[in-house]
Amino acid sequence: GWGITFLPHTNEFYISDGSHFLSVWDAESLDLKRKIPVKFERKVMVDGELTSESLDVDYINELEFVDFETGGDGTTDRDSGEEGVCSNDDTECNDDTSSPHKQSMRILANVWYQDLIISIHPETGEVERVYDFRDLYPIEQRQKDGADVLNGISLTGAMNGGSEDGVELWITGKLWPNMYRVRLKQHAT
């Protein structure tokens, strides 16, 4: 299998299938609502000029919807306990008030057979940050232990109360003997 995450206030599943697309399904009808291409923009030098290059990010795997403001999954407002839909008076929402996603909400995903977790903008599909976990459980040690790839991410449930401490995750992999508790810092928006 690949990955799936749920956003209750929009009643949508975000699903990965190993391609560079996230499919968004209606949770009741399971109808496909849209597909979001996941892209990584990088700067490259071409003929002495710095330019941007857009790359598809294939092998998107495990998914988690997160809110970097609260440290949670973006489903509840930390003050009221109500589902976290943006409103016109919410200063943390996007300038586009039709967006159901707060500015601090992202989809975290691991990339199959890489020791990376990427932070994906839930509407544009842009990879905004790459977290490198090569040193967490080095491949040489995994080979000795008979362990395989990084393949598990899950929120710990610890909320940060709106500070800028980021989100706390459990990270593990196929046949890994341990789970690692890590904190990812919020990236600049």
Side-chain angles (χ1 to χ4, degrees), residues 17 24 32-33 38 50 52 59 70-71 73 77 92 98 104 109 115 124 130 132-135 144 150 157 159 162 170:
D17 62 5
V24 182
L32 177 67
K33 295 175 79 174
V38 178
L50 191 60
S52 291
Y59 306 112
T70 65
D73 62 5
D77 180 283
E92 294 300 317
S98 66
S104 56
D115 293 332
T124 66
V130 177
D132 184 344
F133 288 100
R134 284 180 292 187
D135 295 333
K144 290 178 191 174
L150 183 148
M159 303 294 274
W170 290 109

Side-chain angles (χ1 to χ4, degrees), residues 139-150:
I139 194 161
E140 299 80 19
Q141 185 62 47
R142 281 186 264 168
Q143 289 170 340
K144 290 178 191 174
D145 296 344
D148 205 347
V149 298
L150 183 148

Side-chain angles (χ1 to χ4, degrees), residues 4-106:
I4 187 168
T5 190
F6 179 62
L7 193 57
H9 68 268
T10 62
N11 202 35
E12 294 174 329
F13 290 115
Y14 285 68
I15 299 167
S16 65
D17 62 5
S19 72
H20 71 279
F21 286 98
L22 292 177
S23 298
V24 182
W25 293 1
D26 180 86
E28 290 182 30
S29 68
L30 299 182
D31 288 336
L32 177 67
K33 295 175 79 174
R34 62 191 172 281
K35 289 184 96 163
I36 303 167
V38 178
K39 305 269 187 187
F40 179 75
E41 295 286 329
R42 72 176 182 174
K43 302 288 185 197
V44 294
M45 193 67 81
V46 177
D47 297 326
E49 286 190 40
L50 191 60
T51 185
S52 291
E53 175 180 63
S54 181
L55 303 170
D56 294 342
V57 180
D58 288 316
Y59 306 112
I60 300 165
N61 196 6
E62 183 74 26
L63 303 174
E64 280 288 342
F65 229 117
V66 299
D67 183 343
F68 275 93
E69 179 186 5
T70 65
D73 62 5
T75 61
T76 57
D77 180 283
R78 71 175 189 277
D79 297 322
S80 68
E82 295 179 7
E83 291 182 351
V85 180
C86 288
S87 63
N88 290 335
D89 62 348
D90 190 341
T91 58
E92 294 300 317
C93 286
N94 292 316
D95 291 336
D96 175 8
T97 56
S98 66
S99 171
H101 304 103
K102 291 170 51 180
Q103 286 182 353
S104 56
M105 293 174 71
R106 295 295 178 270

Side-chain angles (χ1 to χ4, degrees), residues 170-184:
W170 290 109
I171 296 178
T172 192
K174 299 277 188 196
L175 304 173
W176 285 22
N178 298 308
M179 293 188 335
Y180 299 88
R181 192 175 198 155
V182 300
R183 182 170 300 277
L184 303 181

Side-chain angles (χ1 to χ4, degrees), residues 103 106 128-129 131 164 185-189:
Q103 286 182 353
R106 295 295 178 270
E128 295 182 332
R129 183 145 184 189
Y131 300 93
E164 298 201 12
K185 297 291 186 176
Q186 181 172 350
H187 48 283
T189 54

